[in-house]
Every structure is written in structure tokens, then in C-alpha cells.
């Protein structure tokens, strides 16, 4: 009610709450230097704003929440949804532009992924954000999401997606995650399998996707990623996805990460496009602070169908507020 | 001054004030499902973000206020103005992108209209927002606005618009509104007549427009709209326009609404374009909360000049913060 | 830390701080009427939003700051950077979209310049904002900035810019400023020399640029600007650039300003394009309040290579929050 005490806080962004009401503002800035080569010739050599976003979100009543997130370069919306939470955590309804429930790596925020760019299967098969209506929830060790979606940018028909995750092991310093998802939208259907294991500073995660696109069936690919945090922190896990490392000490945290991927997917970061290819990535992340990360990645891959080979070197400066 | 007490509040958006200074942030999210047919064939069948906006507004001194409102999809500004209020409520000067003073339905915010989409005459003859300078004010039972405007999107010449409203009856639960407006911009001139009556849960409103566009004169159209709030609330009225229903009870408020329209106008929602047509609309609004509305409309119409008939079914989820 | 006291203030925009953390929001609205003529014939006659921007900025830790500033019309970003301040004021690192260190007039905010539009040499040779990495700092009477930049809009190669300023005289009511800068980006290199002197209500400033663009060398131009504040205020100066006048009295402040410019440059405001031309500008600024300015300018110029002459009359309403 109007007499509720108002609480205001900032850690770079803004949070204001008063009884059932809440207003938050924040965002992210990611600046990259990337240099990619195809068959030894430089294709890209660039400094650019990889993501520049601002969001506002909040609660307009006990049962209704919202989020609006947009790109500051004018390229459009990310999130724009209203959410009904009146049935509790087991059954939340989200209406509008939101992430489709498909893919561990996709549903881990770009602020929180360990490798700078997502894997080729995620880039190709996970739609990311779309307009639709989703029922989602969590309870015990499980989370689920199921919804209908349409990708207006592609003028698509209405499709659907569903995902279920289960974490038989979950403590403050360890987790064992299993997930399965299916989606069918834009004449592209896919089955995704996820697993991840984390214990103290070590984590490993893998996803496999079996997809069909139009007449082309029997597409498939996978990635395996492993990381180790030299300074001893544990990669946080919450509600079926990972969060980024929060350094314990003032000197920040250091993380080593490696990924191997193989099969169909969108390998355009290393200039191999939608080819069937295999690639490995090595990376180092320095978390100067919970909200500041500097990452360096090197990816090298080769086509499984031609003699093409491609590589990318990428450095990222990331600040979240 | 700098020592003034700071007051902070949120009801989803944000308000901060300190002496003469004020900062506010808020916005709206409207998600629609709409399906339209022309002569029995489906033309649109879509989920889309109808409006996604964020605004900031405030006061930088006792006499100067501002508002910046933009679309989060990158499609541009809505409001962007500065306002001088030093002469009191009787004479306010507004400079910049703002609504032109023409049309009861147009000057009622899209957050507050009873039928989901505005009538064909409003869509065609009311310019909505344009760049210009307006003198406006209120006193006793009257409001007025007069200004010069240019529609830069259309690369238009400078035009003008003026509106006067009078409410001979105005109590907490009833109002009788009369309005007249004239505008001449973009080689389109129009005279608009408005009337509305509200008593307790019932309201009726009507507008008639007589317009000329280029060489085509003798264009005209009208609508009549009536509504009844089943849960007993009264539709608020303030300064020559209506506001949306605020539910009294925790169960929300229910409103039935009907509209009949006939004549020239922009009937594109039912796929009849700028044809001379007649149409009726039936609708139900559920106000879950002051800031959350779910509305359902059905519109059916037919051309007065051909055999074409069109219809639209529309559902809206609306959240304001 | 989380227990730090939270301070909230507004003077139209918003400032919230808590220990090392800070969040600020603000912006600017500039509405112009401009009418330009070429050889006596009207070329532009327009009301338009000259600048409509919103920014958020803040600190996410003791050592890391950020700023995101965008145009509300969807035309893209202005600032988008993260900044490391851990080495003190003598050596700050800024990563991302930011102003290149070149030009006194360019590095004076558009909110703070005395003539409504910047001079022809600034419009042509100063890049303004670009993506890059800059090391900058201040100490004693000096400031410096040096960085590498790329102008992605022009798909440019990586270039660099550097600037040094020195203020041998600096008191509350007077300053003597000297500056030198060099940049080489987009096949356009330029040497810039700056000087300014301010004493009480009077100021004079001048810049000279010697540039080369592609094969065309020996380009050069300059401007000299002088201003006098009738109400006695002094134009503020800070860190190598000017700030706008803050009126002492409730009646506001009045400033007279004149500029003469000659040589190569971008003279498109007076419809002479990149011609070699000379022009003078007379202007009056009324500062109704620290955050509200109304300015009127008249510029008249003629080509040094043809018989063309051009002029512009411009009125600006400016509000900052």
C-alpha cells in the first residue's frame, strides 16, 4: 500500500521497492575486439559494441511483474513481457517477448556464459527470444517451461517449445544437471539434451541437438565445455541455468575454460557458416568484480565436408549494472 | 533547493521529488493477438508487441517540465517536449513532439481507451503526435489547446490545430462533455465534434468529423461508443479526456463496451482501408489491477461502396508502470 | 558495502549513491526552428528535434564506472563505455564508444557550447564519438587524452588521436587555455590548435585546424568566437573544456556571442557544404535556469571559390535533466 516503507539501493543499477511494488533499472555493456581468419586470410578485424542494453523491470502488484529490455543502438527489443505470478513458483505465465525454453547455454544469460560466444549448435538451433506465451515453474529439484511462440522477424507461423530440467545433486558448491527440450518453429524442429556437473571450482557441461530444418533432416551436433576457477570460487547455478562467478577476494577471480564442438551448427564466428564442422576453444576470464569481466578466447575449427579451416581471436570487456 | 526533502515512491514505475524538482520513469507494454479477415479469408493472424514504451519526465525547476517517451523497438520517439508552466494552469506552453489538440479518443491515452483500437475517423483524421508549439490550459469547466505543428515524417508544411472542451456537468461519478476542434495540416483539414456522458458505471461518447483531404472534400464519419462497468466503478474523466478504470475490489473490474461507426475513415484494422464503411465492435475489458488490463474485441464491418466485408478478433494484454 | 547509506537526489534527472556504487539517469531535449537560404532561396524551413537523448551512468565498484547514452529516436548510441579509474585521476582508461580527444569545441558538450551549432572546422575534422580505447588524465593545470579508435559507421581502419591542454591561468572567474591535438583516422589526418581566454563575463576562444583528407592536402580553417554575459556570470571551465552558464539570479542570464570562421570545413548549415568559405554568426542566449536555455543565432557566409552565399536563422529550446 501507499504507506509501505520505500527501500532504495544501487550496485550500479537501481532497485526501489515499496510493499508489493518494485522498480529496477540496469543493463550491460560488452565491447569486443575480434579478429577472424578463413584459410589463413583475415576476414574481420574489428572493435565493436557486442551488446549494449538497458532494462527496466518491476512489479505493479503482488501478482503482476514486467520487464522491458532494449538495445541502445536502436536495433530493437530484447525482453518485453508481462508476467502473472499469482499461482506461485510452480506455475508462472509470461506473455510477450521472452526467451524460448530451449538450451542450457541459451538460457544462461550472455552476462553469465563462460565462453564468450555460444556454441554452434546453440547459435543455430536455439531461437533465443521470441514472442509468445509461456507457462513455467520450479519445484523441488526440477524446472519446466512450455509455451507457444512466433518469430515475427522471420514472419513465422506459431510454433512451440518445451524444456524440463532436473538436478539430482545440488549443494552450495556442487550441482548435477540434466535437461531435455524440444521445439518446433519456423520449419525447424529440434531435440536438445543437456547435462552439466559442477564441483567446487570445476565444471563441465555438454549439450547435444538433433534437428531437422525444412527438408534437411538428420542434422546433429554437440559441444562439451569444461572450466576451472583458479581462485577457488564455484560457478553459481540457479533454476536450470548457470550464473557468472562472483569473486571472493578483492584481487578478482580467474577462470580457465575449454570447449570442443562438432557437427552441424552455425559456425560463422570462425567463418565456416552453417557447415558441418569441428572446433575447439580455449579461454581465460578475469572477473575484476562481480560486475566486470575481461575475457580472451581463441577458437580454431575445420570443416568436416571441405578443406576450409577458420579461427577467431576475441577479447571482451564486459560491465553489468 | 538542495536541502529539500527527497520523496521516493514506486507503483511499478518510479517517482522521485525534491522541492521543485521531479523525476519520473514509467512505461507500457501491450501484447496483442489479432486475426483479421477480408471477405472470409484470413489476412492477419499474429502475436505482436502493439506498444512497448518507456518514458522519463520531470521538472527541472518550478516553471519548466519535460517528457521523453520512446518506443523500445527502436521505431522512434513518441513524446519529446519541454514545457513552461510559469503562467499557471490557464496558459501552459509545450514545445516539441506532443499530441496535437484534436479528438477526444486521440487525446485519451492508448492506456485508457475502452475499445482496444481507436475508431476509423480517429485513425484517419487525428494526427496524434507531431512537432510543434502549443498553448493550452484549463479553467473552470473548460480546457483549450491551440498550436502550430509540422509532421516531419511526412515532410509536411507547418499547420495548426485548436480544440476547446466544456463540461457543464462534472461530479465524481458523472460528467457531460462537449468538445470542438479544427485542424489543418498536410493538406488535410478537419472539423471534429465530440460529446460524452458518463453516470456511475455507464458511459456513452461520440465523435463526428467533417474533413477535406487534398481535392477530396465532403468526407465525413462518426462513431458512437457505449460502455458499462459491471463491477460498478466509474470511468474517470480529467481535463477533457477519459482515464482508465481503477478497480475498487481485489477481484478486479469488468467492463462491457460497444461501438458503432460509419463513414469515411481508416478502416484498415478490418482490412477495408480508407473506404467509406460501417462497422460495429463488441468488447470486454478485465482490469485485474489499476495497471493490468486484459481486453477482447470483435469488430465486423462492410464497405458502403463495394461488397467487401471485413472483421477482426483482437485480444490485448496490457501492463502500465 | 551493502550497509552504506543510500543518498537519493533529483534536479530533474536522478542520482542515487551508496558507498562506492552510483546510478544516475538524465538526458537532453533540444528543439530547433531553422531556416536556411542559398543565394537568397529558402532551402530548409523546419521545426525538428535536434537532439533527444537519455543516459544512464554510474559506478559498479570503486574502480569501474560506465555510461550508456542513446538517442530516443532510435538512431543509435552516443556513449557506451566502461571506465577504469583505479589508477587515479592521472590515468583513466575508457573502453567503448566515447568522444575522441580532438577539438575544444567538440569536447565541450552540445549542452554547453555558446553558439548553437559548432564551427565548420569542428564539423569536418573532429570525429566526435567513435569506438576505441583511450588513456586520459589530468594533473595540475594540464589534461591529456590518447587513444586508438575506429569509426564503425564508416567501416574504417583503426586510427588514433591525442590531445594535450594546459591552462597557465585558472581562477574562479578567469582562465587562459591552450591546447594541441592530432588525429589520423579514416584517411583524414588533422592537427588542431586551441586557445581560449575568459575573464569575468567575457570570453574569447579560437581553433585552427590543418588537415589532409585522402589525396587533398593543405586544407585548413579556423574560427574565432567571443562572448559576453550581460548579467555578469562567468562561463565555467573544467578539465580542458567549457561548461554552460548557470544564472545567478532568478531572472536568468543573458549572453551575447559572435563567431567568425574562414577556410575549409563543413559549412552545410549555411548550405555551402565542404566548400572553402567564410562566415560570421551572431547569437543571443537566454539561460532561464541552469537547465533551460533559449538561443537565437544568425549565420551568414560566402564561398571563397564561387559566388555562392548562404545563411541560416536558428532558434533553439534546450532542456537538460
Amino acid at each position: 500500500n501507499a504507506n509501505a516503507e520505500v527501500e532504495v539501493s544501487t550496485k550500479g543499477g537501481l532497485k526501489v521497492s515499496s510493499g508489493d511494488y518494485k522498480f529496477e533499472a540496469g543493463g550491460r555493456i560488452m565491447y569486443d575486439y575480434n579478429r577472424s581468419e578463413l584459410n589463413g586470410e583475415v576476414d574481420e578485424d574489428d572493435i565493436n559494441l557486442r551488446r549494449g542494453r538497458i532494462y527496466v523491470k518491476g512489479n505493479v502488484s503482488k501478482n503482476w511483474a514486467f520487464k522491458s529490455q532494449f538495445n541502445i543502438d536502436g536495433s530493437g527489443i530484447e525482453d518485453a513481457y508481462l508476467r502473472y505470478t499469482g499461482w506461485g513458483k510452480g506455475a508462472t505465465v509470461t506473455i510477450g517477448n521472452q526467451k524460448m525454453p530451449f538450451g542450457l547455454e541459451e538460457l544462461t544469460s550472455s552476462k553469465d556464459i563462460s565462453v564468450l560466444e555460444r556454441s554452434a549448435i546453440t547459435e543455430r538451433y536455439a531461437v533465443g527470444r521470441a514472442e509468445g506465451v509461456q507457462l513455467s515453474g520450479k519445484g523441488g529439484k526440477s524446472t519446466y517451461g512450455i509455451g507457444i511462440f512466433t518469430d515475427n522477424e522471420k514472419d513465422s507461423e506459431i510454433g512451440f517449445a518445451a524444456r524440463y530440467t532436473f538436478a539430482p545433486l545440488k549443494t552450495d558448491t556442487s550441482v548435477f544437471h540434466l535437461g531435455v527440450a524440444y521445439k518446433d518453429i519456423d520449419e525447424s524442429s529440434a531435440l536438445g539434451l543437456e547435462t552439466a556437473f559442477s564441483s567446487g571450482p570445476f565444471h563441465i557441461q555438454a549439450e547435444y541437438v538433433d534437428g531437422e530444418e525444412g527438408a534437411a533432416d538428420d542434422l546433429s551436433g554437440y559441444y562439451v565445455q569444461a572450466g576451472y576457477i583458479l581462485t577457488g570460487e564455484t560457478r553459481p547455478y540457479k533454476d536450470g541455468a548457470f550464473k557468472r562467478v562472483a569473486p571472493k577476494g578483492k584481487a578478482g577471480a580467474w577462470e580457465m575454460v575449454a570447449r570442443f564442438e562438432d557437427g552441424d551448427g552455425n559456425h560463422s564466428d570462425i567463418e565456416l557458416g552453417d557447415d558441418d564442422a569441428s572446433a575447439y576453444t580455449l579461454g581465460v576470464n578475469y572477473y575484476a568484480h562481480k560486475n566486470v569481466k575481461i575475457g580472451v578466447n581463441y577458437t580454431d575449427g575445420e570443416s568436416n565436408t571441405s578443406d576450409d579451416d577458420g579461427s577467431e581471436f576475441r577479447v571482451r570487456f564486459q560491465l553489468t549494472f
Side-chain angles (χ1 to χ4, degrees), chain A:
Chain A
N1 62 68
N3 298 318
E5 195 178 346
V6 178
E7 292 182 20
V8 180
S9 67
T10 177
K11 294 197 168 184
L14 179 65
K15 288 190 189 187
V16 180
S17 65
S18 171
D20 292 333
Y21 299 108
K22 194 159 66 174
F23 175 84
E24 293 185 35
R28 73 190 72 179
I29 301 173
M30 296 182 193
Y31 256 92
D32 283 16
Y33 167 71
N34 70 304
R35 178 188 171 94
S36 64
E37 294 185 0
L38 175 62
N39 300 324
E41 292 191 16
V42 176
D43 217 69
E44 279 190 76
D45 186 12
D46 215 3
I47 303 171
N48 68 77
L49 177 65
R50 181 63 181 85
R51 289 181 184 89
R53 298 181 187 165
I54 292 174
Y55 70 81
V56 293
K57 66 179 186 179
N59 287 79
V60 298
S61 75
K62 192 182 174 191
N63 295 334
W64 287 93
F66 69 94
K67 184 173 184 183
S68 287
Q69 182 174 220
F70 60 98
N71 290 297
I72 62 171
D73 63 1
S75 64
I77 56 172
E78 293 291 328
D79 299 296
Y81 59 73
L82 42 111
R83 176 173 281 172
Y84 181 71
T85 60
W87 296 328
K89 291 185 176 179
T92 294
V93 180
T94 305
I95 301 161
N97 230 59
Q98 59 188 294
K99 279 196 177 176
M100 279 178 60
F102 189 93
L104 171 61
E105 197 179 36
E106 182 62 41
L107 293 165
T108 298
S109 168
S110 67
K111 301 185 292 191
D112 302 338
I113 49 178
S114 294
V115 178
L116 297 179
E117 292 294 326
R118 293 188 177 100
S119 66
I121 56 167
T122 298
E123 294 292 345
R124 180 158 180 184
Y125 301 106
V127 168
R129 289 181 175 87
E131 290 175 324
V133 180
Q134 181 178 184
L135 178 70
S136 63
K138 58 184 177 182
K141 296 167 174 174
S142 301
T143 77
Y144 76 93
I146 183 166
I148 55 168
F149 296 91
T150 177
D151 189 342
N152 276 323
E153 286 182 19
K154 296 186 180 169
D155 202 18
S156 72
E157 300 290 299
I158 288 176
F160 88 98
R163 178 179 183 249
Y164 173 78
T165 73
F166 180 62
L169 168 69
K170 185 174 173 351
T171 72
D172 281 353
T173 58
S174 64
V175 67
F176 180 40
H177 162 99
L178 295 167
V180 58
Y182 186 77
K183 61 129 202 181
D184 190 348
I185 186 171
D186 290 334
E187 298 186 12
S188 164
S189 67
L191 171 72
L193 301 176
E194 318 163 5
T195 187
F197 174 74
S198 162
S199 175
F202 173 77
H203 90 269
I204 185 166
Q205 76 179 60
E207 290 186 76
Y208 169 81
V209 174
D210 188 276
E212 294 185 25
E213 284 192 358
D217 53 0
D218 289 329
L219 300 176
S220 71
Y222 71 92
Y223 76 84
V224 181
Q225 167 188 309
Y228 189 83
I229 303 168
L230 303 174
T231 38
E233 289 84 352
T234 297
R235 198 178 174 214
Y237 172 93
K238 191 183 175 192
D239 301 342
F242 284 98
K243 300 291 176 184
R244 71 183 170 282
V245 175
K248 283 181 191 165
K250 288 194 172 181
W254 289 87
E255 180 184 36
M256 309 286 291
V257 66
R259 181 175 70 198
F260 179 75
E261 52 192 324
D262 190 28
D264 300 297
N266 179 347
H267 299 267
S268 58
D269 283 336
I270 52 170
E271 310 298 339
L272 296 179
D274 276 353
D275 209 351
D276 180 347
S278 68
Y280 70 88
T281 301
L282 297 175
V284 179
N285 293 314
Y286 171 59
Y287 300 88
H289 179 269
K290 189 181 188 314
N291 288 326
V292 179
K293 166 182 154 180
I294 301 169
V296 178
N297 275 190
Y298 178 74
T299 303
D300 201 308
E302 55 190 24
S303 168
N304 293 331
T305 62
S306 74
D307 288 340
D308 286 344
D309 61 87
S311 67
E312 188 194 57
F313 175 71
R314 184 179 287 269
V315 181
R316 176 167 299 168
F317 294 88
Q318 171 182 315
L319 184 149
T320 53
F321 57 94

